[in-house]
Amino acid sequence: MHDDLHTDAAALLGGTGAASRRKALGLMLGAGYAAAAAPLMAQTAIATSPDGLEVGEVSYPSGDFQVHAYRAAPKGGSGLPVILVISEIFGVHEYIADVCRRLAHAGYLAIAPDLFERQGDPMAYGELAKLMSEVVAKVPDAQVMQDLDASVAWAGKHGGDAARVGITGFCWGGRITWLYAAHAPVKAAVAWYGRLTGQDTPLQPKQPLALAAQVKAPVLGLYGGKDESIPESTIEQMKAGLAKAGAPANASRFVVYPDAPHAFHADYRASYRKDAAEDGWKRTLAWFAQHGLK
């Protein structure tokens, strides 16, 4: 019934897909939390003010598709360093928008594209397994790389410096961060608990470990010692691959927080670990500054 309401509202507006459903319901990217991410821990969720910032949804072409993204930047800024912010499987909801605002307050143009938009709307899913099988598993890596290239191009024409680009991402977005660091000449990258190995598929043909030799920027990997989904042995393998790759990949570093689980930066979830999250954030800002983004 709920899905039918989504579909009917979208049809009334003459469109289909995630963007149309959002508009039909009066929603914008970055509004609210994804249902599949429940239970929410509202008491730990950080709310960053938009004061002094230009924030909200933007759109731009990627091939023949119109990508939507949430962006935050200092008001009136020009020639700003750009940070691509890559979401977890839950899409560009309130947590990701808040991360963008945090980066904007630090002087960046932060942009978080909706990389699931062609396949579906993560906000419409209440069940994790369905979200994974019906949306996330169907997103091609090549499509994601194209959309991120388009995001950089848009930022370069709207207050950003396309020659000074960094990327950071969480969980699913952490893996994408590694892939994009191997795809494009970004200045620096920060991958939060992105998996490094996994099953190759036609849509996700290579994992970060297989691309270590192609990494074009120093990557800071932030991982949890109690993350059952990412064995520490894979981190050691990635370290060896990056060291063998030579510069600039061999300038990459890893920090493993011994007591942190997966998703320790996600302040709206029970996995949040304040000390590790705050330390990782300080390291993120320092990493970007150290590698030419400030």
Side-chain angles (χ1 to χ4, degrees), residues 99-115:
V99 169
C100 288
R101 293 192 293 273
R102 295 173 213 177
L103 286 164
H105 279 300
Y108 294 99
L109 188 165
I111 183 164
D114 181 355
L115 298 169

Side-chain angles (χ1 to χ4, degrees), residues 119-277:
Q119 281 70 37
D121 180 4
M123 295 292 283
Y125 283 79
E127 190 182 320
L128 198 58
K130 271 195 170 186
L131 170 59
M132 288 296 294
S133 64
E134 294 181 14
V135 178
V136 179
K138 295 180 179 178
V139 178
D141 287 342
Q143 171 188 294
V144 173
M145 298 300 107
Q146 175 183 298
D147 287 355
L148 293 178
D149 287 343
S151 302
V152 173
W154 180 89
K157 295 172 185 170
H158 294 84
D161 179 356
R164 285 189 299 153
V165 177
I167 182 170
T168 190
F170 305 87
C171 187
W172 181 88
R175 174 183 175 271
I176 295 300
T177 295
W178 282 107
L179 297 190
Y180 199 68
H183 167 81
V186 293
K187 291 278 189 188
V190 180
W192 297 76
Y193 34 85
R195 64 180 174 84
L196 302 165
T197 60
Q199 185 177 352
D200 294 343
T201 69
L203 298 183
Q204 296 92 32
K206 287 194 174 178
Q207 308 314 313
L209 182 57
L211 296 169
Q214 296 172 40
V215 168
K216 299 173 176 63
V219 183
L220 175 62
L222 300 171
Y223 288 82
K226 292 188 175 174
D227 187 338
E228 295 177 2
S229 64
I230 301 174
E232 208 158 336
S233 60
T234 65
I235 295 175
E236 294 306 316
Q237 288 176 284
M238 193 67 178
K239 282 183 186 175
L242 293 164
K244 196 184 296 183
N250 63 358
S252 299
R253 296 290 180 267
F254 287 82
V255 178
V256 178
Y257 296 96
D259 298 320
H262 190 73
F264 62 82
H265 185 268
D267 50 63
Y268 66 101
R269 295 170 67 187
S271 56
Y272 178 58
R273 296 296 182 271
K274 187 173 187 287
D275 289 349

